[in-house]
Amino acid sequence: QVRLVESGGGLVQAGGSLKLSCAASGTIFGANVMGWYRQAPGKQRELVAVISNNGYTNYADSVKGRFTISRDNTKNTVYLQMNSLKPEDTAVYYCNLREMANYWGQGTQVTVSS
């Protein structure tokens, strides 16, 4: 069983920065993809950014140039550096790990005030 624990959410003013972290524990296969999704009130969960264990990345158009995803495979941890935050980035951010199964973290709130 895999467990994902997120940290780093909070309240920030527009234009500010936050860094999210997600640590995975348990039995994890080498070939996997870790990433971040978000869900705003009344909206569907959407992809923010993902990164494979080989370092390939994919970003939502809305965050390209502002967010950077990275990972430390020795710690099974994925990070999301969020810069130039906008009020529309306000959402619950969920960590995700996909390998033989699909795992989710409990979510961390990010609120950007205007």
Side-chain angles (χ1 to χ4, degrees), residues 7-36:
S7 61
L11 173 64
V12 65
Q13 287 188 332
S17 298
L18 283 174
K19 186 174 184 177
L20 306 182
S21 300
C22 172
S25 60
T27 302
I28 301 169
F29 290 92
N32 62 76
V33 177
M34 297 187 75
W36 295 92

Side-chain angles (χ1 to χ4, degrees), residues 86-112:
K86 304 175 181 180
E88 51 263 43
D89 294 316
T90 295
V92 177
Y93 284 68
Y94 295 92
C95 179
N96 175 261
L97 169 66
R98 285 187 284 121
E99 29 116 84
M100 296 295 291
N102 199 24
Y103 301 97
W104 293 94
Q106 79 284 357
T108 185
Q109 177 70 46
V110 171
T111 302
V112 184

Side-chain angles (χ1 to χ4, degrees), residues 38-46 88 90-91:
R38 67 187 181 187
Q39 187 166 18
K43 295 188 177 181
Q44 290 188 330
R45 191 173 298 188
E46 63 178 6
E88 51 263 43
T90 295

